[in-house]
Amino acid sequence: MWSELEADPPACAGGGRHAAKARLLPGGFPGGRALCLVCWGFVELSPDETLAAHDAFRGAGSEEEASSRAAWFNTYGWDRG
């Protein structure tokens, strides 16, 4: 039986890695955030152009975000953004 003790930690290991802002869709998504290549979430950048500490992406928070994510990946693919 699965328990929380066996779960991955919520913090993503991608925090602190160098990244660049992801390309924008016409509506402005993802708003200056970078794509984390560990959890595939869009994450704020620190001033030194590294990914801010963040929890691993566990799903979109709204239907609008889910639609924007789908449009972004359909437009730019699964690359470095």
Side-chain angles (χ1 to χ4, degrees), residues 16 18 39 43 57 78:
H18 287 280
C39 72
V43 180
F57 180 74
W78 295 84

Side-chain angles (χ1 to χ4, degrees), residues 15-80:
R17 293 184 181 196
H18 287 280
K21 290 180 182 178
R23 291 175 277 185
L24 297 176
L25 290 176
F29 183 84
R33 296 175 292 170
L35 179 63
C36 176
L37 297 177
V38 174
C39 72
W40 298 101
F42 290 97
V43 180
E44 296 293 329
L45 285 172
S46 298
D48 63 352
E49 296 186 348
T50 60
L51 296 171
H54 61 281
D55 285 347
F57 180 74
R58 300 273 193 240
S62 68
E63 286 188 32
E64 181 180 347
E65 180 187 359
S67 293
S68 294
R69 285 179 56 80
W72 192 93
F73 284 108
N74 286 334
T75 301
Y76 298 118
W78 295 84
D79 66 5
R80 295 187 178 269

